[in-house]
């Protein structure tokens, strides 16, 4: 009754495990779960449940949740998982629901389990340079909290102001600083997680080094709520980062900019940020606000160097970038050591998604956001192929990229009322992911698999690795109640 | 017959799974395995097998291997694992056998599977800053190979000149540079691994970022040959590191030195090396060679700063260290910007283990090497307790430490012919590990669990985490043929 085989995981998007009637689950929730939770943690109001049933993904289902638990303690999370395990009820763990792959979306018959209210800083340890937090704390709130201590937590996903650390851990979030400072997993020391059966495990020591047993801590980072619920996080910190120097360069086309990125990185540069905006993005940003961007340019690169704290090093690095950009056919190169100017430029870059939304709203509402990561040297080839795709299909594609990491975010636009255009847009979206794989890359550099890319994950991973995924999943969540129908839904089963 | 339950894992140190007679296994090897391997890969000479049956660990069993496979290709590894899986034969994967926890030691009835002959550099990619190698390449050989490209692979375990990259991955090796540059897992982009059943999996993309599925790559790093055999490694590289400045400071006692470490690190310093040698180590080193060390000092700190490439930053950092050391009661502080001087000092530090060996040889032969990692601020407390232990037991303990990481290597000496002394030494060894746990640390920062610390692993990990270990192990190696009787031997079984 409560056993869910790997093969039935896909079905979980359309029916509760075991086919239990949602009313029956609801009755069990009222009778058994409600009395054990912290007062107010259980929410059964349909409107509230509805507002918690989707993350920021577009075109992903998110229906059928039976109830919402807003946990305020680790015990709430354990109680919920014990209940779910006892009755084979699917559970969708949620942070701030800012993901864009549908990973936090409801599945039919599920409990939504939100940790957003668990948002405290538990300890700052300046000698060890660590911080221990509850999972619901917003990334930027943590950064702000650390400033008086002279410490930084570098990972800065585009969602830095709205996404939570628990969600960042669940998706191994990246961001703009990754090119020098790495991603979430590079900063996690210790996790406390609640497993499918409600038991609590402490994974990893808090010390700088540690090899006592398997790296289960690492296994949970990026597992998107399919193995357990992160309820406490100890993060490694670094001394406060120095203010960087910034340079911007415009190019006639994307391939030229991409070649400059590859050459600059191959020269041994260590920029603290290296972002790219294509021509379409520049036009959309200029339409969104007056940022003084050159909308006639085919691409722009934004580079920052913090010189690892040394101003002269930063100046040398920015000068080296300028030289390579000019030799690479830049239309214009401008450097600035003004902190306000720099911040304004980066803030503009961070507004790209809002600009895309405005464009989409004015052009039929359809937008698909891709997230391929390529070997840096293959970016120019990617843009060559994209130019052909645009010409062949007439589909509008705009690209922002964490270019120093080869991590591209092409946004594909279409009119949802125009079936033909929508179909061409989806085909372009797929073509770009396939192109990512063909060029030696991955289908997701930082957004995760969620619901959106579950079929593509099966294309990227070899059959043996797919079977290993199921073997590990079944070992830690034998009933398959944790976030079913997403990451694992299309993977080949063990022994399959 | 071939099924090995978790509970029988310990027994595998004394009997082959299923109790098969070694002669019978040997006959199967000759009949089925030999014809399928590359010519010369199978070794059945007892003397050669004997010389491959132990790593550098002291007091760990390593008997009963049936044959040795020196693989020259991935296919050799797959063939061996297919054979072993078919017949339930235990397999002990081996790199350069330089580990000191017995992780590469033979178990009764096993096949030794060495990848030391697979030692080629397959590709250096300067644009992506990656290198792809076979697992048998020696760490220092890789470093030398990369120099002409202006690229560095930072991890530098004490065994850098003799240990292999595959072994470094299997143990998540650390070293002197970790305090700034991290450990092996911080540099692994992609692994190819052969699983228990002989299948080959590619784990992780080679790109800078990637979140497509579970981080199985990370799960294999540090798994000590219990989940599979690493047959290819793609590593992230960094631009060649600048020559560092070096400073040395001596102190009246270890606790004073430890306090300076904690204060220096809390100040926001980012040394590229921060090592500590205690008074006993200084005496033993002076006895081993004429290094001009102050053998009257109670402790010495060695610090390096590379200033992330900027000489002025390095100078500032070394000056800051000198100030903190002097304020912290240093007997003497000396800085040097002479590369030869610096190298000589670090080379002396690296000779500590040889000096220990000389001392042990002259004092009854017994030596136990510990590897606790503590929160940095707890090091002084550790040394206070160690002083008491020394006084109470009369046991000689010398300590070298990657102090910036809180990673201590106390060596405990004794006369193997003196049962009472040996017993007291083992008790001190255990007390120091327990002290590590009591102070919020781990029983192994970088040496791994192997055979030596299998009981201690069960003390460090909570019961839920132990059961998770078995769940994952059984999922990926259901027969338990990979390196049995070591890391998992004493862990509580799933459902236990």
């Amino acid at each position: 009754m409560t056993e869910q085989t790997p093969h039935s995981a896909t079905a979980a998007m359309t029916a509760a495990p075991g086919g239990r009637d949602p009313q029956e689950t609801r009755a069990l929730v009222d009778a058994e779960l409600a009395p054990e939770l912290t007062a107010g943690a259980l929410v059964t109001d349909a409107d509230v449940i509805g507002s918690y049933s989707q993350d920021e993904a577009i075109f992903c289902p998110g229906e059928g949740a039976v109830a919402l638990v807003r946990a305020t303690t680790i015990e709430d999370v354990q109680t919920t998982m014990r209940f779910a395990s006892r009755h084979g009820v699917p559970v969708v763990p949620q942070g701030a629901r800012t993901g864009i792959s549908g990973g936090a979306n409801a599945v039919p018959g599920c409990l939504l389990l939100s940790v957003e209210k668990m948002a405290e800083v538990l300890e700052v340890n300046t000698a060890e340079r660590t911080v221990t937090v509850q999972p619901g704390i917003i990334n930027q709130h943590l950064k702000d909290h650390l400033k008086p201590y002279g410490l930084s937590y570098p990972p800065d996903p585009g969602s830095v102001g709205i996404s939570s650390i628990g969600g960042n851990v669940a998706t191994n979030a990246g961001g703009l600083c990754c090119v020098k400072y790495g991603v979430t997993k590079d900063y996690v020391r210790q996790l406390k997680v609640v497993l499918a059966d409600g038991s609590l495990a402490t994974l990893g020591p808090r010390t700088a080094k540690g090899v006592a047993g398997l790296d289960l801590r690492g296994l949970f980072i990026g597992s998107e709520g399919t193995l357990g619920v992160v309820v406490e996080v100890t993060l490694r910190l670094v001394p406060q980062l120095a203010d960087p120097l910034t340079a911007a360069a415009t190019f006639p086309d994307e391939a030229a900019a991409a070649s400059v990125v590859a050459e600059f990185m191959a020269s041994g540069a260590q920029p603290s940020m290296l972002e790219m905006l294509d021509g379409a993005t520049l036009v959309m940003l200029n339409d969104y606000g007056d940022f003084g961007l050159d909308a006639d340019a085919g691409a722009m690169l934004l580079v920052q160097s913090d010189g690892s704290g040394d101003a002269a090093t930063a100046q040398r690095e920015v000068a080296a970038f300028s030289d390579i950009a000019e030799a690479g056919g830049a239309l214009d190169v401008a450097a600035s050591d003004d902190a306000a100017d720099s911040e304004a430029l980066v803030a503009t870059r961070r507004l790209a998604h809002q600009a895309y939304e405005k464009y989409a709203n004015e052009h039929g509402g359809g937008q698909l956001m891709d997230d391929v990561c390529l070997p840096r040297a293959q970016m120019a080839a990617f843009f060559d192929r994209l130019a052909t795709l645009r010409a062949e299909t007439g589909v509008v594609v705009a690209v922002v990229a964490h270019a120093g990491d080869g991590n591209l975010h092409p946004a594909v636009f279409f009119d949802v009322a125009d079936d033909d255009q929508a179909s061409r847009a989806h085909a372009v979206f797929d073509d770009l992911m396939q192109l990512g794989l063909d060029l030696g890359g991955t289908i997701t550099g930082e957004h995760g698999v969620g619901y959106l890319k579950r079929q593509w994950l099966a294309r990227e991973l070899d059959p043996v690795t797919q079977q290993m995924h199921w073997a590990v999943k079944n070992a830690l969540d034998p009933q398959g109640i944790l976030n079913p129908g997403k990451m694992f839904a299309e993977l080949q089963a063990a022994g399959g």
Side-chain angles (χ1 to χ4, degrees), chain A:
Chain A
M1 199 39 200
T2 61
E3 195 71 20
Q4 186 182 9
T5 69
H7 290 297
S8 73
T10 311
M13 291 305 286
T14 49
R20 179 182 292 111
D21 181 68
Q23 299 299 331
E24 192 191 332
T25 303
R26 172 63 198 279
L28 288 167
V29 165
D30 290 342
E32 297 182 23
L33 182 58
E36 293 189 29
L37 291 173
T38 300
L42 182 68
V43 179
T44 54
D45 178 274
D47 288 342
V48 180
I49 291 174
S51 71
Y52 278 75
S53 286
Q54 300 240 3
D55 61 20
E56 298 289 326
I58 307 170
F59 305 117
C60 289
E63 304 291 327
V66 171
L68 161 68
V69 177
R70 284 192 292 213
T72 57
T73 64
I74 292 177
E75 289 69 30
D76 280 344
V77 176
Q78 292 187 274
T79 298
T80 303
M81 292 313 305
R82 277 191 211 108
F83 168 84
S85 186
R86 199 157 64 235
H87 297 293
V89 176
V91 173
V92 178
Q94 298 185 326
R97 302 187 317 284
T98 57
I100 53 178
S101 301
N105 282 17
V107 299
C110 79
L111 294 178
L112 301 173
L113 176 51
S114 171
V115 295
E116 70 178 356
K117 290 203 160 186
M118 298 169 65
E120 297 295 313
V121 174
L122 301 175
E123 186 201 23
V124 178
N125 184 330
T126 54
E128 191 65 11
R129 288 188 201 153
T130 57
V131 64
T132 301
V133 298
Q134 292 184 312
I137 190 170
I138 300 299
N139 184 313
Q140 185 63 51
H141 296 175
L142 172 61
K143 288 189 195 321
D144 294 343
H145 186 93
L146 294 170
K147 263 184 200 151
Y149 299 94
L151 293 167
S152 298
Y153 172 65
D156 62 344
S159 58
V160 63
I162 52 173
S163 67
S164 62
I165 293 297
N168 290 174
V169 169
T171 57
N172 190 18
L176 279 62
C177 74
C178 307
V179 63
K180 182 166 185 175
Y181 291 102
V183 296
T184 303
K185 83 173 161 61
D186 298 313
Y187 293 87
V188 176
R189 284 265 177 100
Q190 184 180 73
L191 293 179
K192 290 190 181 174
V193 297
V194 173
L195 303 183
D197 66 1
S199 55
L200 177 69
T202 302
L203 307 178
R206 289 190 183 182
T207 49
K209 294 156 77 179
V211 292
L214 300 177
D215 184 15
L216 298 178
R217 156 184 58 188
L219 184 66
F220 274 71
I221 302 169
S223 64
E224 301 186 9
T226 65
L227 301 182
V229 186
V230 174
V231 293
E232 191 180 298
V233 184
T234 298
L235 297 163
R236 174 176 79 90
L237 305 171
V238 298
Q240 191 153 4
L241 302 177
D243 283 340
L245 288 183
T246 305
T250 51
F251 296 85
D253 57 52
E254 298 141 330
S259 296
V260 164
V261 168
E263 193 182 338
F264 180 54
M265 293 302 290
S267 76
Q270 298 196 284
S272 52
M273 189 191 86
L274 181 45
E275 297 285 306
M276 178 170 166
L277 299 83
D278 75 344
T281 302
L282 295 173
V283 169
M284 291 178 195
L285 272 169
N286 265 353
D287 186 57
Y288 181 69
D290 181 12
F291 305 115
L293 300 170
D294 176 6
D296 293 331
M300 182 166 89
L301 291 178
L302 275 181
V303 65
Q304 288 194 328
S305 171
D306 62 15
S308 300
D310 181 65
T313 301
Q315 267 159 1
R316 271 198 307 276
E317 199 147 62
V318 165
F321 170 79
S322 301
D323 290 347
I324 290 171
E326 275 164 14
L331 302 172
D332 186 53
V333 186
S336 170
D337 59 359
D338 183 89
D341 277 3
S342 295
E343 263 184 49
L345 261 174
V346 177
T348 303
R349 154 64 187 91
R350 287 192 185 272
L351 287 172
H353 293 299
Q354 282 91 318
Y356 288 178
E357 211 167 305
K358 176 171 190 284
Y359 180 90
N361 288 339
E362 293 168 359
H363 293 80
Q367 185 194 158
L368 296 163
M369 175 62 72
D370 229 324
D371 173 39
V372 297
C373 192
L374 307 171
R376 285 188 285 261
Q378 300 289 0
M379 278 194 295
F382 183 94
F383 282 111
D384 281 345
R385 175 69 188 141
L386 175 58
T388 307
L389 269 176
R390 282 166 165 154
E392 285 173 359
T393 64
V395 170
V396 173
V397 180
V399 184
V400 286
H402 307 307
D405 283 322
N407 190 187
L408 309 169
H409 294 316
V412 182
F413 299 91
F414 61 97
D415 182 346
V416 293
D418 181 339
D419 286 348
D420 175 58
Q421 202 186 104
S423 147
R424 275 181 287 135
H426 278 88
V428 167
F429 178 78
D430 285 354
D431 283 349
L432 293 178
M433 263 193 289
Q434 186 61 51
L435 180 59
L437 291 178
D438 293 346
L439 293 173
T442 174
I443 57 152
T444 177
E446 59 182 11
H447 291 173
V449 176
Y451 180 87
L452 196 67
K453 295 190 172 177
R454 66 207 189 287
Q455 280 143 336
W456 280 94
L457 184 63
R459 293 206 206 179
E460 173 161 340
L461 302 180
D462 63 55
V464 174
T465 306
Q466 293 184 42
Q467 293 167 25
M468 291 168 70
H469 270 70
W470 270 120
V472 170
K473 167 72 172 173
N474 290 335
L476 296 178
D477 176 21
Q479 295 185 84
I481 57 174
L482 278 162
N483 217 2
K486 296 172 187 169
M487 183 195 283
F488 287 81
E490 303 291 334
L491 298 185
Q492 191 173 315

